[in-house]
Amino acid sequence: MPFSETDHVEIRHLAGMVLDFADEVALMADGRRSTLELKISDELKKLAERGV
């Protein structure tokens, strides 16, 4: 079944929304990773200061 021009426009729009959503998820994951890295670094520093 052939697609109409309207169908192509809607598919491109949906694909753009999916890619934008994926970018947002990636940004959230990067932020979470950075936060965890800071927490881990802080805890390792505390352990090193205690001589553990």
Side-chain angles (χ1 to χ4, degrees):
M1 184 161 67
F3 291 106
S4 69
E5 182 59 31
T6 302
D7 293 333
H8 284 278
V9 169
E10 289 177 0
I11 290 169
R12 283 192 296 271
H13 179 71
L14 178 59
M17 289 175 54
V18 169
L19 292 174
D20 289 344
F21 180 74
D23 288 342
E24 292 295 323
V25 170
L27 287 172
M28 288 188 298
D30 288 343
R32 179 71 177 144
R33 184 180 315 115
S34 295
T35 300
L36 289 173
E37 287 173 356
L38 288 174
K39 288 179 181 179
I40 290 168
S41 293
D42 288 345
E43 292 303 317
L44 289 173
K45 183 178 177 183
K46 289 176 188 176
L47 287 172
E49 289 170 351
R50 290 183 13 211
V52 176

